[in-house]
Amino acid sequence: MIPVLFQDKSLAVCLKPPGVLSQDGPGGTLPALLREQLGCEIFPVHRLDREAGGVMVYAKTSRAAGALSAAMQSFRKEYLCIVRGRPEAAEGTYRDLLLHDKARNKSFVVSRIRGGVKEASLEYRVLAEKDGASLVRVRLHTGRTHQIRVQFASRGTPLLGDGRYGGGSGDMALWSCALAFPHPNGKMLAFQALPEGAVWEAFAGEITDLNRKKE
């Protein structure tokens, strides 16, 4: 059963389980699971890496999908992640040029604009450090493929469990913890959910404190 945080006739906000594809495709994808669970059509409007989990919104009608897609620049997306090591500064902004190699499904930081290269920007804040790792909160300014993963990895602090970018094996520590966006009716909606699971256990106390602050 997929946890549903909110739904109405236009959209559904849910928690994506790690390991489930957020878009339509082969196998038990999240859109397919939601169609079966909710008994309605489901239209993806944004993506979340298969290995990541957390808050996502899906449209229930094509009209709502168009409205949400058109408002994507107004979405506020925040994430929690655990990185190996510690970012050089306790907080800051990363700006890079990213190239996504579709054949290898991998993104790279490059030095100049050329075909396929896109600007990427995020801001971050280190929340805690422990045992050679750091709990970090991230706000995305752009939504590039594997953006958080490659921007931190390129600075020597890959996400824990992100084998594709040098973070080692195991579950990847990336979670969509907060999502705010305009409903097609114009009302702003905001949702938060904090992660659970073995990969987050080292920072369980800090995550619990975040939950108290949210309340």
Side-chain angles (χ1 to χ4, degrees):
M1 185 73 71
I2 303 301
V4 175
L5 304 181
F6 171 84
Q7 65 171 316
D8 62 12
K9 65 180 182 180
S10 297
L11 56 84
V13 178
C14 69
L15 295 183
K16 174 190 172 300
V20 176
L21 193 66
S22 66
Q23 302 289 304
D24 284 308
T29 68
L30 187 51
L33 293 172
L34 286 173
R35 289 181 189 115
E36 181 178 358
Q37 180 174 322
L38 302 180
C40 63
E41 187 54 273
I42 291 292
F43 298 84
V45 295
H46 65 129
R47 297 174 180 267
L48 188 58
D49 292 351
R50 181 194 289 267
E51 301 90 344
V55 185
M56 292 193 71
V57 59
Y58 288 89
K60 287 185 173 182
T61 68
S62 58
R63 182 175 181 178
L68 289 169
S69 296
M72 194 57 61
Q73 295 301 317
S74 300
F75 276 47
R76 182 184 177 106
K77 301 177 183 178
E78 296 189 17
Y79 299 78
L80 287 175
C81 62
I82 300 173
V83 302
R84 292 188 177 275
R86 184 190 188 283
E88 185 174 342
E91 58 184 282
T93 300
Y94 289 163
R95 294 186 177 89
D96 293 296
L97 299 176
L98 299 188
L99 175 66
H100 180 60
D101 184 335
K102 293 183 180 179
R104 299 167 62 186
N105 191 26
K106 191 171 182 179
S107 294
F108 300 88
V109 173
V110 298
S111 59
R112 62 182 178 85
I113 287 287
R114 59 181 189 272
V117 172
K118 296 180 179 180
E119 295 181 349
S121 175
L122 61 79
E123 61 184 86
Y124 74 89
R125 180 165 56 93
V126 176
L127 302 179
E129 301 172 53
K130 192 177 299 184
D131 299 328
S134 301
L135 178 67
V136 182
R137 186 157 186 152
V138 176
R139 180 185 175 190
L140 281 182
H141 298 158
T142 55
R144 311 306 182 198
T145 302
H146 299 173
Q147 180 179 333
I148 294 172
R149 299 162 65 182
V150 68
Q151 287 197 274
F152 279 93
S154 70
R155 291 165 170 84
T157 54
L159 270 61
L160 190 68
D162 187 4
R164 184 180 298 272
Y165 293 98
S169 60
D171 295 333
M172 187 172 72
L174 179 62
W175 181 266
S176 170
C177 66
L179 179 65
F181 59 90
H183 190 283
N185 65 16
K187 180 181 178 181
M188 283 298 298
L189 300 179
F191 301 91
Q192 296 188 62
L194 297 175
E196 298 178 351
V199 71
W200 303 96
E201 283 181 358
F203 292 99
E206 290 80 3
I207 291 171
T208 299
D209 288 343
L210 287 174
N211 198 39
R212 289 180 182 141
K213 291 175 183 177
K214 179 186 72 172
E215 295 171 353

